[in-house]
């Protein structure tokens, strides 16, 4: 009889624990592919993890851009430019959400980002010394953006969002010119504007 009572209690406790776990709100995780700019083509990869109701941690690699180009001046012989550009960065932030209607939410929140960029090029000019034909630039930008956007979930798993990011930023860059290779020019300063040229368009998947 005692064994039966003990077994019944174990089953009852297990059932109540399982029921409690099933009724707890599940914290979601979302993955996003974000399109930030067309030229140069610039994308972002983001992870958003829910930490409590309507609050998410936002982590990502941003400003992933790679571009190569060349140009030719009409009515010239042998004169043209070639260049390349690459950038990458990281970001972290917190996101607050508010439901507006079925499937549609408004979100906002502060963040912090750091980006490194580098560009180089060469002017193909007949008759000029080879060392005078190249130029390069490299630098970084630290930003404090504040995201403002809307999120629409088509169903349980698929989402799309659009946002803008007004930001305060500090940038620093160094420039070298082949004409004076021993000299290095620097630029630095603070600014306020948008951390992206266009509205960020994101496509997401929720686990």
């Amino acid at each position: 009889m005692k064994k039966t009572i003990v077994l019944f209690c174990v089953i009852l406790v297990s059932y109540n624990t399982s029921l409690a776990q099933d009724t707890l709100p599940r914290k979601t995780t979302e993955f996003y592919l974000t399109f930030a700019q067309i030229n140069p083509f610039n994308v972002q990869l983001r992870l958003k993890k829910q930490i409590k109701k309507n609050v998410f941690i936002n982590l990502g690699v941003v400003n992933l851009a790679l571009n190569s180009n060349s140009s030719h001046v009409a009515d010239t012989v042998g004169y043209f430019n070639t260049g390349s550009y690459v950038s990458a960065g990281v970001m972290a932030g917190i996101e607050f959400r508010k439901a507006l209607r079925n499937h549609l939410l408004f979100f906002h929140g502060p963040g912090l980002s750091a980006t490194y960029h580098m560009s180089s090029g060469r002017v193909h000019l007949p008759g000029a010394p080879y060392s005078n034909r190249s130029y390069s630039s490299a630098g970084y930008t630290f930003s404090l953006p504040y995201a403002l956007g809307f999120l629409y979930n088509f169903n349980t798993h698929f989402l799309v969002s659009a946002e803008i990011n007004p930001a305060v930023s500090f940038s620093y860059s160094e420039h070298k010119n082949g004409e004076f290779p021993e000299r290095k020019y620097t630029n630095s300063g603070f600014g306020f504007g948008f951390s992206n040229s266009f509205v960020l368009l994101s496509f997401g998947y929720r686990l």
Side-chain angles (χ1 to χ4, degrees):
M1 183 65 179
K2 290 182 179 180
K3 291 183 179 180
T4 303
I5 295 175
V6 171
L7 181 60
F8 176 79
C9 291
V10 170
I11 295 174
L12 184 62
V13 170
S14 299
Y15 176 78
N16 288 335
T17 301
S18 175
L19 184 62
Q21 290 175 344
D22 289 342
T23 56
L24 286 174
R26 184 173 66 90
K27 291 182 171 62
T28 63
T29 301
E30 300 168 354
F31 298 93
Y32 289 87
L33 173 63
T34 300
F35 298 92
Q37 194 168 319
I38 298 175
N39 187 25
F41 188 65
N42 186 317
V43 297
Q44 303 179 5
L45 300 174
R46 294 193 182 187
L47 165 69
K48 297 185 180 182
K49 177 69 176 180
Q50 185 180 11
I51 55 175
K52 62 180 183 178
K53 185 178 180 180
N54 296 326
V55 182
F56 286 72
I57 290 293
N58 184 5
L59 304 173
V61 287
V62 298
N63 292 326
L64 300 175
L66 177 63
N67 184 50
S68 178
N69 62 77
S70 64
S71 61
H72 177 76
V73 178
D75 300 326
T76 60
V77 179
Y79 177 82
F80 62 95
N81 292 335
T82 60
S84 62
Y85 175 87
V86 62
S87 70
V90 295
M91 65 83 61
I94 188 167
E95 181 176 294
F96 305 97
R97 297 183 179 181
K98 179 178 178 59
L100 299 179
R101 57 179 62 186
N102 288 341
H103 304 289
L104 181 64
L105 300 95
F106 170 73
F107 65 88
H108 64 96
L112 172 66
S113 68
T115 300
Y116 177 81
H117 63 85
M118 180 175 62
S119 62
S120 62
R122 188 174 300 279
V123 178
H124 297 262
L125 181 61
Y130 190 80
S131 61
N132 291 359
R133 301 177 184 179
S134 64
Y135 57 90
S136 64
S137 174
Y140 53 82
T141 301
F142 295 102
S143 298
L144 295 172
Y146 197 95
L148 300 166
F150 295 93
L151 173 67
Y152 185 85
N153 55 295
F154 292 98
N155 53 40
T156 305
H157 297 292
F158 294 99
L159 315 98
V160 63
S161 70
E163 67 181 271
I164 57 174
N165 286 270
V168 176
S169 62
F170 170 78
S171 60
Y172 174 86
S173 60
E174 297 180 350
H175 309 270
K176 294 182 180 180
N177 192 312
E179 186 175 356
F180 302 102
E182 72 282 358
R183 297 181 183 178
K184 181 172 62 176
Y185 305 90
T186 62
N187 290 322
S188 62
F190 290 90
F192 176 80
F194 292 93
S195 59
N196 48 280
S197 301
F198 300 93
V199 174
L200 294 180
L201 182 62
S202 302
F203 298 92
Y205 181 82
R206 176 183 292 154
L207 295 180

